[in-house]
Amino acid sequence: QVKLEESGGGLVQAGGSLRLSCVTSGSRFMFDTMNWYRQAPGKQRDLVATIAKSGLTNYADSVKGRFTISRGNARNTVYLQMNSLTSEDTAVYYCNAAGRLNAQYTYDYWGQGTMVTISS
């Protein structure tokens, strides 16, 4: 069974930084993409950052230049470095792994989320 576990959330003042981690277990292969999503109270879940197996990254416009997604040395470990945080970054952050293993099997795994609260 594949499990994704986020950590690193917490309360930080505006302008501060946090580093989120996502550690996975139970997978025998490297995920095609690993992603960070976030969901603010009363809002939909939005994609924040993506890193492909190739290392190619992509970011939501709202976090470009402030957030950095990276892979760890351990397979299927991913980080999200968040700098210059504002109250608009307050949300539950979710780690996601998605892709296609073969013609018949696609996957879409989610962690439980970690809360990030920015105080002004």
Side-chain angles (χ1 to χ4, degrees):
Q1 182 179 3
V2 175
K3 291 185 178 180
L4 280 64
E5 184 172 359
E6 306 94 337
S7 63
L11 174 65
V12 66
Q13 288 187 334
S17 298
L18 279 175
R19 189 191 194 210
L20 305 183
S21 300
C22 176
V23 177
T24 65
S25 61
S27 174
R28 297 182 180 181
F29 55 90
M30 189 175 183
F31 298 133
D32 290 338
T33 64
M34 293 198 74
N35 313 289
W36 286 100
Y37 285 77
R38 68 184 180 186
Q39 187 168 18
K43 296 188 177 181
Q44 66 182 18
R45 189 174 298 187
D46 293 325
L47 180 62
V48 174
T50 295
I51 187 164
K53 189 185 299 185
S54 63
L56 186 68
T57 60
N58 197 24
Y59 299 92
D61 287 342
S62 60
V63 306
K64 281 181 181 177
R66 300 189 299 122
F67 290 13
T68 303
I69 189 170
S70 61
R71 283 187 180 268
N73 291 329
R75 186 175 63 188
N76 294 330
T77 296
V78 66
Y79 304 103
L80 186 67
Q81 178 67 42
M82 307 186 295
N83 299 328
S84 303
L85 289 161
T86 74
S87 58
E88 294 187 352
D89 298 314
T90 294
V92 178
Y93 284 72
Y94 296 91
C95 181
N96 167 262
R100 176 179 294 276
L101 185 59
N102 53 45
Q104 290 80 33
Y105 184 74
T106 60
Y107 55 90
D108 188 18
Y109 303 124
W110 292 88
Q112 292 299 307
T114 185
M115 183 70 207
V116 171
T117 304
I118 311 304
S119 63
S120 57

